Amino acid sequence: MTRLLDGLRRTVGDDVAALLGFLLAVVVVFGIAAPKFLSAANFDSIAFQLPEFGLLTLAMLIPIISGGINLAIIYTANMAGLTLAWVLNSHGGPDAGVTAFVVGSVLAIGVGALAGAVMGAVIAYTGAHPILVSLAMMIFLRGLGEFLTRGGDISGFPDFMAPIGHGTLLGIPVPLVIFAVAAVAWHFLLSRTRHGVAASMIGSNIRATEYSGIPVKRTLTLIYTLSGAMCALAGILMLARFNSVRVGHGEALLLVTVLACFLGGVDPFGGFGRVAPVAVALVVLQALSSGLNLIGANQHLSTAVWGLFLIAVMILRWTFRRLQKNPKGRT
Amino acid sequence: MRSLVRAYPTETKLLAVLVALCTFLAVASDSFFTLANATSLLNNNAVNVIWAVGLLVVLIAGGIDISFAVAASVVQYLCVYVFVWLGGANWAIGFVVAGGLGICLGLVNAFLIHRFKIISIVVTIATFNAFFGLLMFFSSGKFLYNLPDWWSGRLIVWEHQSADGTWAELTLPVPIMLACMLATFLLIRRTNIGRQLFAFGDNPEGARRVGVNVAAMQAIAFGWMGLMAGIGGLMQAHIVKEVVPNALYGRELDVLAAVVLGGARLGGGRGSVIGCFLGVALVAVTQNGLNLLGVSPYAFKMVIGLVILVAISTSNLDLGALVTAKREGR
């Protein structure tokens, strides 16, 4: 058994193993407390709820690894959704064709990437702090969205879009497939490409990265552009799932995506972070939430539990680090 | 004068922009440059300034706090029950209770940050979710209107009727705001603790080695933020005459933007009380001006976001250096 665990730890890494342990604990506790927790319907609901939260977290991940943050993710996603909705509505709303959807999606991703690119360029070329730049962009995009929609909903989309939000592919929910593809792409981008390595290097030491000949400014701009494009993907998925767009949709997810990144072991100062543990952290959070829901607590209690859970994990990490430094427990 | 400009470059620039903006608005709109408009701007932004000076102390000490606005909501909610339990209370007790509860919530952050060496943004994002989630869970999102009379009754501290018959008045939050500004100024500029806060924010390890008590610095910074959050919460409920559990949700980021706009640095060691005031004022005057010029309210946020974006992307550019660089042909 220990050898099995050791093997597991070697293949997936300590952070993933620890989080899988947490996941197991969550499943066991709620499996006992709420018999419905282990039902197919519950797994299904987790699988449908996870992807948009997951895509937004991926969008948050790359800037954090580069030592920054992107507080504009929710409204970038909303703006991208609005773009798609606008294209669909100007081509007949519910009667719009597949071409309109494709063109609209491409435009939506373009809008998301543009919002990200502006942020990245300001951060890279003026040296302003990412928290502030993305905060200003967030306020601007929220305002722009409210200005365009007057705070209302836009709905009425063609039927062929429903499967994107609600359908299944070979028994797997389509949103989950989209998330899995995006996560694998992000993993490759971060660990196998020059750009991904440069992002980590910028996060650990931006000056040294510059001296080693990496085009830091261009890389930073690209990081936020990619983050914006990922937000746009989340926005398109949100549109398909809710069959409507509204500025402010998913607002509550903003800080929770940061929480998920930190839970997944991403270094808050940047430089270190992997996709796999973050993905597991997402599953843990979603399972906690649905478990609490099943035993009769509401969404707000899960928010509280997510916060407390993050603190608990941070305290455990701290304890673990100290034990590793002093195996006999001396201080 | 010149040394002042050099010591506070951001504040000076901000003041120049604000003066230019006010001059423009005074010409473009009849109702901007009136006493009534000035006092209502002060009344409506006092709470933001109170929170801003609290956040300033945390930023100077090198931290960041995301949780203060929901902490203020928690304080408001608890205050209602504490006052009922005390059987009435008054302003003096109100300030002690709200301030005390705020300090307790701030110290929770400080304890987690210091004891377990977690950085402040992680802790405060976690406590943000914990405070807000628990508040919404236990309150079930219920609004409270049954505030005691002393709390919800309007308190006018100064009033003046101008020639055309309109009243200009300052309400209680304004003197409280001034008191909070003064207290924060004294704390950070006139005490030994203030100097230690700046030193700690600028270089934590260096400060620790010269004997600054790190735990005390965290406790003071987050305790002060908590105190201001509590007082701000008390004032906010006084203004709107009700307690709504999710009313303050999201305000933290607006205040943060204003404080950093006012010259405080994320990362510690810099910032001033007057900068906080100017940062809040710039956002408030922009919004007020757009309103008076008849721009659609839906466009306010858009313009404000744009103003902040332009302000920060130009604030790091040193205009003097650009000119010399050009002259030298670089």
Side-chain angles (χ1 to χ4, degrees):
Chain A
M1 188 65 192
T2 23
R3 197 184 293 163
L4 194 75
L5 279 179
D6 269 353
L8 186 70
R9 267 178 53 183
R10 264 199 304 278
T11 32
V12 296
D14 270 346
D15 38 3
V16 176
L19 283 164
L20 283 174
F22 273 121
L23 183 59
L24 192 68
V26 170
V27 170
V28 168
V29 168
F30 283 115
I32 294 166
K36 271 197 207 141
F37 185 79
L38 294 173
S39 69
N42 185 43
F43 286 125
D44 231 34
S45 90
I46 292 180
F48 277 106
Q49 280 168 21
L50 178 76
E52 66 213 36
F53 177 28
L55 290 176
L56 289 167
T57 307
L58 291 179
M60 185 62 92
L61 176 65
I62 292 201
I64 293 189
I65 287 180
S66 78
I69 198 166
N70 182 359
L71 294 174
I73 53 167
I74 305 297
Y75 296 102
T76 309
N78 288 163
M79 277 313 298
L82 280 181
T83 311
L84 174 57
W86 173 70
V87 172
L88 286 172
N89 277 350
S90 58
H91 286 79
D95 306 320
V98 179
T99 328
F101 172 70
V102 173
V103 172
S105 301
V106 171
L107 266 182
I109 291 178
V111 165
L114 178 69
V118 171
M119 256 185 297
V122 173
I123 292 166
Y125 291 95
T126 71
H129 200 289
I131 290 188
L132 196 58
V133 177
S134 60
L135 189 54
M137 184 54 95
M138 169 189 127
I139 297 173
F140 171 70
L141 289 176
R142 179 169 65 191
L144 183 64
E146 281 171 1
F147 180 63
L148 294 175
T149 62
R150 296 288 187 261
D153 286 55
I154 298 183
S155 53
F157 302 121
D159 290 336
F160 66 83
M161 289 181 62
I164 299 173
H166 304 281
T168 56
L169 191 76
L170 303 172
I172 307 166
V174 175
L176 193 63
V177 174
I178 297 175
F179 171 65
V181 170
V184 170
W186 237 226
H187 172 75
F188 267 93
L189 178 78
L190 281 172
S191 61
R192 296 280 188 279
T193 66
R194 186 192 290 257
H195 172 69
V197 176
S200 293
M201 286 171 69
I202 288 175
S204 345
N205 188 336
I206 189 163
R207 192 63 59 80
T209 314
E210 201 159 11
Y211 288 153
S212 68
I214 284 168
V216 167
K217 293 181 170 138
R218 214 172 65 203
T219 308
L220 268 174
T221 313
L222 187 58
I223 285 168
Y224 286 87
T225 310
L226 283 168
S227 169
M230 187 56 90
C231 295
L233 193 58
I236 295 170
L237 185 64
M238 274 153 81
L239 181 147
R241 245 170 67 72
F242 302 117
N243 200 29
S244 79
V245 192
R246 186 173 56 79
V247 178
H249 238 152
E251 211 172 7
L253 288 176
L254 173 61
L255 292 174
V256 184
T257 59
V258 187
L259 187 151
C261 285
F262 293 151
L263 198 60
V266 178
D267 189 325
F269 293 110
F272 302 93
R274 302 194 302 131
V275 174
V278 172
V280 182
L282 285 167
V283 180
V284 174
L285 290 178
Q286 207 56 255
L288 263 175
S289 164
S290 89
L292 285 168
N293 194 14
L294 284 177
I295 58 172
N298 66 7
Q299 178 58 37
H300 294 300
L301 189 66
S302 1
T303 312
V305 170
W306 286 359
L308 297 172
F309 188 65
L310 176 63
I311 294 174
V313 168
M314 286 294 179
I315 292 174
L316 277 176
R317 279 199 190 128
W318 171 83
T319 321
F320 193 66
R321 267 202 314 272
R322 268 168 72 110
L323 286 179
Q324 271 185 332
K325 260 186 232 158
N326 308 300
K328 285 175 192 157
R330 279 184 305 218
T331 43
Chain B
M1 180 67 200
R2 183 173 254 183
S3 65
L4 256 182
V5 171
R6 203 168 292 160
Y8 297 102
T10 323
E11 286 83 347
T12 319
K13 269 183 228 164
L14 200 53
L15 188 63
V17 172
L18 199 59
V19 169
L21 187 63
C22 288
T23 318
F24 167 72
L25 286 173
V27 176
S29 158
D30 306 332
S31 38
F32 178 75
F33 202 66
T34 58
L35 210 51
N37 191 45
T39 49
S40 85
L41 268 175
L42 277 173
N43 290 335
N44 294 335
N45 289 283
V47 174
N48 277 351
V49 175
I50 294 173
W51 282 333
V53 293
L55 186 59
L56 172 73
V57 177
V58 169
L59 288 179
I60 283 174
I64 190 169
D65 192 338
I66 305 287
S67 68
F68 66 86
V70 294
S73 286
V74 174
V75 170
Q76 288 180 339
Y77 224 82
L78 290 177
C79 272
V80 175
Y81 289 102
V82 172
F83 296 155
V84 168
W85 178 68
L86 288 173
N90 54 33
W91 275 115
I93 297 175
F95 278 111
V96 170
V97 172
L101 288 169
I103 290 173
C104 291
L105 293 175
L107 289 181
V108 170
N109 284 331
F111 171 75
L112 291 168
I113 291 166
H114 180 71
R115 182 73 180 79
F116 300 109
K117 307 272 176 280
I118 316 173
I119 71 158
S120 53
I121 190 165
V122 180
V123 167
T124 55
I125 283 180
T127 49
F128 168 91
N129 283 292
F131 292 164
F132 185 68
L134 289 174
L135 177 66
M136 289 301 280
F137 179 67
F138 284 112
S139 70
S140 334
K142 210 171 58 199
F143 293 22
L144 299 179
Y145 300 106
N146 54 335
L147 308 189
D149 291 339
W150 61 266
W151 194 5
S152 58
R154 224 157 112 80
L155 264 180
I156 296 168
V157 288
W158 177 86
E159 56 189 355
H160 174 83
Q161 191 173 25
S162 48
D164 60 349
T166 50
W167 283 93
E169 53 207 11
L170 290 179
T171 52
L172 179 71
V174 177
I176 301 298
M177 169 191 87
L178 292 175
C180 291
M181 284 171 68
L182 180 68
T184 308
F185 172 79
L186 292 177
L187 174 81
I188 63 177
R189 295 282 175 198
R190 289 287 177 274
T191 63
N192 191 11
I193 291 172
R195 276 185 280 279
Q196 292 185 35
L197 281 169
F198 273 98
F200 174 65
D202 201 41
N203 183 349
E205 183 57 25
R208 193 184 64 81
R209 290 190 189 185
V210 296
V212 170
N213 183 344
V214 175
M217 289 303 113
Q218 299 282 21
I220 290 166
F222 283 90
W224 192 264
M225 171 83 255
L227 176 66
M228 293 300 150
I231 293 176
L234 194 70
M235 287 299 116
Q236 179 68 23
H238 168 67
I239 294 170
V240 298
K241 304 183 197 317
E242 61 184 3
V243 171
V244 182
N246 56 356
L248 307 178
Y249 183 93
R251 286 274 287 271
E252 60 284 330
L253 293 180
D254 296 340
V255 174
L256 177 66
V259 176
V260 186
L261 203 57
R265 191 173 65 192
L266 291 158
R270 253 202 61 193
S272 66
V273 170
I274 200 71
C276 281
F277 183 80
L278 292 173
V280 175
L282 181 67
V283 175
V285 169
T286 309
Q287 185 155 342
N288 181 245
L290 290 171
N291 195 7
L292 294 178
L293 294 177
V295 178
S296 152
Y298 289 108
F300 287 2
K301 279 264 159 61
M302 182 173 73
V303 178
I304 287 167
L306 210 57
V307 167
I308 300 177
L309 200 57
V310 170
I312 48 169
S313 40
T314 52
S315 69
N316 285 38
L317 300 176
D318 192 342
L319 292 178
L322 268 180
V323 173
T324 18
K326 228 175 222 162
R327 214 175 280 155
E328 286 166 12
R330 272 186 290 169

